[in-house]
Amino acid sequence: MTERTTLLSLSRRRLLISTSAAAAALLAPKGFTPARAADSPREGGDITFLIDSLGDTWIPNNSAISSFQGHIWGHVTDKLFYVDAEGKVSPWLAERWEQNDAATEFTLHIKSGVTFSDGSTLDAAAVVANLDIWYGGRKNEGINPIGLFPKTYDHAKAVNATTVRVFFKKPTLGFIPTLGYHGSILISPKSIAQPASEQADLSKTSGSGPYVVDSWKEGDFVKLVKRKDYNWGPAAVGHTGPAFLDSITYKLVSEPSLRVASVQSGQADVAYNASPQELKSLKEEGFTIATPRYLGFVNGWAINTKLAPFDDLKVRQALQAGINRQEIIDTVYTSDWQLAKSFIQSNVPGATDHSALLAYDPGKAEKLLDEAGWLKGADGIRAKNGKPLTIALHSNPYLATSKSIDELIAQQLGKIGWKVDIRAYDVVTFGEKVKYGGPAVPAYEVTRSFIDAGTVAGILTNANNGENWFALDDRDAKLNDLRDRIAGAASIDVRKPVLDELQEYVLEQGYFIPRTQIVQRIYVQSPLLKGEVYNGVAYASYYTAFVSD
């Protein structure tokens, strides 16, 4: 019997006799590493992390921003900068940086002595190769650009082995924070040069992270083992040398109750995406619970303004007023969740409070629908010109609670005359039929992270190949003006009031319908596992974690 097996077999007994110690650990603020005063990090140990999906491709550009595969990439790769749970940016493999006054040129100074797991050097040329593929991808091969990498990128050049100069076509204030985004993972140039078919083999992709891939099986598991020569972790997490844990195994278990039961029985160490309704009892049993919010958009709907009746401002405003957001938290979630105050999370630097625009007011909603010509029939459903007032909701499989929220909202909207059609797909089908909206999707549910609020405006319209979330193209002159002013700002002070105005305008126009602030990643963890850290996109890093005595 291994030391780890012995520890885990004792875990349930320890929970029963050591509840006071476990309860003390649970007092640590959510989103941060548990206090280490009572436990010093120790070498060794193997942990098992149970997850509900491992995605459908391992091509780095295509999978690094996945809610599931991002866990693995966060351990086998590094980034140029580290971004913590509050959005603070600090050096990592870029030791420092400078920018010009216009925020169009940046100079990155790269740490010396860093190597990829294939033995090649992580130098300025390697950074340039990564910047280029993040921006452009190789679309003809099926390798996508990184979605939120600045579209204003022009080029980068290696000045010398440790210096990179990066040039943009327009001011790009969000460039440095975006280098800490979970899509901005550093991959060996040898791996980047491989065709997509080779990149899709996880064992053939080399990063510079504290772990390497030991073995993996499609749709089953990924086992990582620590890299013993690693010595360049981010100073912000309080450790720079090799990881403490010997291995991390990510195992696919699709049923949430089985994931949780495995941690309860000591057969696994972490269960991902448990039901929120289980968290209270699990805390009482002594398990460590984490519900970190990530930096990004709140959970809500981007509305397709080209589809009737959502081309009508009053209908969109009625939808905004017809949702009881407090009831969602009280019914589906727990007190760990927070009300949306904008369409971006309140922990994002630059987010402002527009709660008044999100107040539940069914009377106002009904009045707006009456004015728009949607009148209630004998069956309680509103209609106009013989057509019922309907909305199709596509529950997002990346958020375990999405369907439950849709069902509750269907009841709320039904009371004021809407007919709601709920459609649920698995991750793959959702990606094919729904993801990022489409001409037939009236309300695309967003569960999307970003690091810098300045990137937001660029994806709301079609400017610079933006994602055009609301199908507005260039039809809204005010939105276009706000977009351009945010994009052109060369300082935070200039950008801040414009960003506030953008948030108010988008909500007022009913372009985005928030539901709640998002906790997309829920962790249930053995109290014997300590020292994990949650970053700005709410991923748990076990680089600093250890199994306690």
Side-chain angles (χ1 to χ4, degrees):
M1 182 176 286
T2 66
E3 180 182 33
R4 175 181 176 275
T5 303
T6 302
L7 283 170
L8 290 179
S9 66
L10 293 173
S11 64
R12 288 293 284 171
R13 181 167 62 86
R14 289 187 177 182
L15 285 173
L16 294 174
I17 64 177
S18 304
T19 54
S20 61
L26 290 171
L27 294 176
K30 288 184 279 297
F32 297 88
T33 179
R36 298 183 188 176
D39 294 277
S40 297
R42 57 183 291 274
E43 298 285 344
D46 311 283
I47 65 167
T48 298
F49 183 114
L50 302 183
I51 194 166
D52 39 335
S53 175
L54 285 171
D56 58 354
T57 179
W58 285 105
I59 296 172
N61 269 36
N62 299 5
S63 59
I65 62 171
S66 162
S67 295
F68 305 109
Q69 291 144 297
H71 291 276
I72 285 81
W73 289 121
H75 289 89
V76 300
T77 65
D78 295 317
K79 298 182 181 68
L80 290 165
F81 290 91
Y82 182 80
V83 179
D84 70 12
E86 301 304 317
K88 181 181 178 182
V89 179
S90 59
W92 191 348
L93 296 190
E95 295 182 304
R96 66 186 193 281
W97 59 279
E98 298 98 34
Q99 72 179 63
N100 66 357
D101 291 341
T104 57
E105 295 181 17
F106 297 78
T107 301
L108 308 176
H109 299 276
I110 310 304
K111 184 186 292 289
S112 298
V114 178
T115 58
F116 293 102
S117 59
D118 62 11
S120 60
T121 301
L122 198 161
D123 57 10
V127 171
V128 171
N130 277 273
L131 291 169
D132 285 346
I133 199 161
W134 295 342
Y135 169 71
R138 295 203 297 270
K139 294 180 182 178
N140 60 319
E141 295 182 43
I143 299 173
N144 300 329
I146 297 297
L148 290 183
F149 189 77
K151 295 176 176 62
T152 52
Y153 177 78
D154 187 86
H155 72 284
K157 66 179 182 180
V159 178
N160 55 44
T162 59
T163 308
V164 177
R165 191 158 293 148
V166 189
F167 301 86
F168 292 87
K169 299 167 189 172
K170 295 180 180 179
T172 307
L173 194 61
F175 172 58
I176 295 298
T178 299
L179 296 178
Y181 182 57
H182 61 306
S184 304
I185 59 172
L186 293 164
I187 299 294
S188 162
K190 294 179 182 178
S191 296
I192 291 172
Q194 294 176 152
S197 58
E198 295 290 310
Q199 290 192 26
D201 184 343
L202 183 60
S203 65
K204 294 182 179 179
T205 298
S206 173
S208 62
Y211 286 87
V212 296
V213 177
D214 174 76
S215 55
W216 73 289
K217 182 179 179 182
E218 190 74 55
D220 188 1
F221 74 93
V222 177
K223 182 179 180 181
L224 310 178
V225 296
K226 80 173 178 180
R227 187 175 166 186
K228 295 181 180 179
D229 64 342
Y230 186 83
N231 194 30
W232 45 82
V237 302
H239 179 58
T240 58
F244 301 114
L245 295 169
D246 289 333
S247 75
I248 309 169
T249 298
Y250 289 86
K251 174 71 176 173
L252 178 63
V253 176
S254 58
E255 176 54 48
S257 61
L258 291 179
R259 296 196 296 273
V260 171
S262 295
V263 175
Q264 289 177 303
S265 66
Q267 300 305 303
D269 305 276
V270 187
Y272 188 54
N273 283 347
S275 166
Q277 301 307 315
E278 293 183 88
L279 300 185
K280 183 175 184 292
S281 62
L282 288 165
K283 283 182 182 181
E284 291 170 351
E285 288 184 57
F287 291 96
T288 303
I289 306 299
T291 55
R293 287 181 300 154
Y294 62 37
L295 303 166
F297 295 98
V298 302
N299 176 235
W301 301 322
I303 299 300
N304 186 336
T305 60
K306 282 187 177 177
L307 289 180
F310 307 102
D311 54 349
D312 187 327
L313 172 62
K314 289 185 176 181
V315 172
R316 297 195 302 270
Q317 290 176 331
L319 192 60
Q320 195 77 284
I323 296 175
N324 186 338
R325 295 166 176 88
Q326 185 63 55
E327 187 179 26
I328 294 173
I329 290 176
D330 293 343
T331 305
V332 178
Y333 289 128
T334 71
S335 58
D336 294 318
W337 274 255
Q338 297 185 27
L339 285 168
K341 299 177 180 180
S342 175
F343 69 94
I344 57 179
Q345 302 267 80
S346 61
N347 58 332
V348 173
T352 45
D353 189 344
H354 296 281
S355 301
L357 292 172
L358 304 177
Y360 177 52
D361 191 340
K364 174 184 176 181
E366 296 217 49
K367 183 174 182 291
L368 285 164
L369 291 173
D370 286 340
E371 291 173 356
W374 293 95
L375 306 178
K376 272 189 178 178
D379 59 357
I381 300 297
R382 292 178 179 270
K384 182 179 181 179
N385 299 326
K387 294 183 178 179
L389 180 62
T390 62
I391 183 170
L393 304 180
H394 299 82
S395 302
N396 194 325
Y398 292 94
L399 185 66
T401 53
S402 181
K403 190 168 184 291
S404 297
I405 297 173
D406 284 343
E407 290 169 348
L408 180 58
I409 289 177
Q411 295 174 23
Q412 296 173 354
L413 295 180
K415 294 175 182 177
I416 57 177
W418 292 80
K419 181 180 179 182
V420 182
D421 178 21
I422 299 174
R423 303 169 189 173
Y425 303 118
D426 60 24
V427 169
V428 174
T429 309
F430 182 84
E432 294 171 348
K433 293 179 176 289
V434 183
K435 199 169 185 181
Y436 304 130
V441 178
Y444 168 62
E445 186 187 334
V446 173
T447 54
R448 183 89 174 267
S449 61
F450 59 80
I451 292 297
D452 182 76
T455 64
V456 171
I459 68 173
L460 300 184
T461 71
N462 61 356
N464 297 316
N465 297 313
E467 295 175 15
N468 200 23
W469 274 16
F470 314 128
L472 286 164
D473 303 319
D474 273 329
R475 289 182 290 125
D476 188 324
K478 181 171 182 178
L479 185 63
N480 295 342
D481 177 63
L482 292 170
R483 170 199 70 202
D484 293 341
R485 287 163 61 198
I486 289 170
S491 73
I492 297 295
D493 289 341
V494 169
R495 190 179 73 182
K496 187 175 180 179
V498 190
L499 187 61
D500 173 63
E501 189 176 354
L502 173 76
Q503 292 169 72
E504 180 179 30
Y505 185 69
V506 166
L507 296 174
E508 195 174 55
Q509 293 295 307
Y511 292 151
F512 194 105
I513 311 295
R515 305 198 308 181
T516 67
Q517 294 204 47
I518 191 169
V519 173
Q520 187 173 347
R521 316 191 210 286
I522 303 171
Y523 302 84
V524 176
Q525 181 173 296
S526 164
L528 300 178
L529 178 61
K530 301 181 182 297
E532 75 284 355
V533 175
Y534 300 94
N535 66 12
V537 283
Y539 281 114
S541 171
Y542 297 99
Y543 163 58
T544 53
F546 58 96
V547 178
S548 65
D549 294 326

